[in-house]
Amino acid sequence: MGMMFPEIRAEVADLHKHLIQWGLVVWTAGNVSARVPGEDLLVIKPSGVTYDQLTAESMVVADLDGKLVEGDHNPSSDTEAHAYVYRHMPEVNGVVHTHSPYATAWAALGEDIPCAITAMADEFGDDIPIGPFALIGSDAIGRGIVETLAGRRSTAVLMAQHGPFTIGKSAKAAVKSAVMCEDIARTLHLARQMGPLKRLPQTDIDKLYDRYQNVYGQTKQGSR
Ligand SMILES: O=C(CO)[C@@H](O)[C@@H](O)COP(=O)(O)O
């Protein structure tokens, strides 16, 4: 019998290339997962396997308690965290974790990143919040992600003294959130060296977010 969910496995394996392409990880320090539609299952990277060895075949399938269901490798050490998010946030279909340098520096400081530029209002419509410090090896990280992000727009949380976790309506959307989170963390770090950051007015954040999420690019509303 063939492996379960070959297409989702291939997509998740391929999405890890973006972590390298955009400078979000060194060695194996990051992971991407996707929810399996209609199943209490997820596909995630195997733990400690370098990105050049990630293929559809090397991905693993786990249940939403983080237990291995199919695969020749141990699942990512963050599988329980990803699984907790999928159990408690039904609208989320992708989760990413990295140690991208600027976002992780803000996490080390324990400071929210204020929504001070239009690119941040576009993508997040919100500050990027700090989540609690939580040790790996239980659902503490997942609980911290959900408690921090539930009910707010941001799709990125900086887990204190650890690093960013991002969520999305798809695994690709969660990867994009991780890329934009790092870009914004770097820009606002640079800005803060020159002076205090100033949060945009909430009304402007709301307008920018609405445009970017509903009109920007090739959305139907965006067509001339
Ligand atoms: O941050 C951590 C551990 O604290 C992990 O995400 C990172 O080392 C990557 O682990 P995996 O290779 O996905 O098991």
Side-chain angles (χ1 to χ4, degrees), residues 28-31 45-49 75-78 97 99 136 162:
T28 62
N31 38 68
K45 167 194 137 198
S47 184
V49 176
S76 165
S77 41
D78 290 304
H97 170 49
H99 295 164
I136 198 163
H162 184 174

Side-chain angles (χ1 to χ4, degrees), residues 5 15 26 34 58 75 79 85 125 148 164 172 177 198-199 207 209:
F5 318 120
L15 283 171
V26 292
S58 61
T79 302
V85 172
T148 307
K172 184 175 181 183
S177 177
K198 198 164 71 147
R199 193 176 193 275
K207 284 182 193 148
Y209 183 72

Side-chain angles (χ1 to χ4, degrees), residues 40 42 62-68 79-81 83-84 87:
D40 287 340
L42 62 88
D63 65 20
L64 295 196
D65 291 316
K67 301 279 177 295
L68 180 66
T79 302
E80 270 190 271
Y84 189 97
R87 286 203 311 274

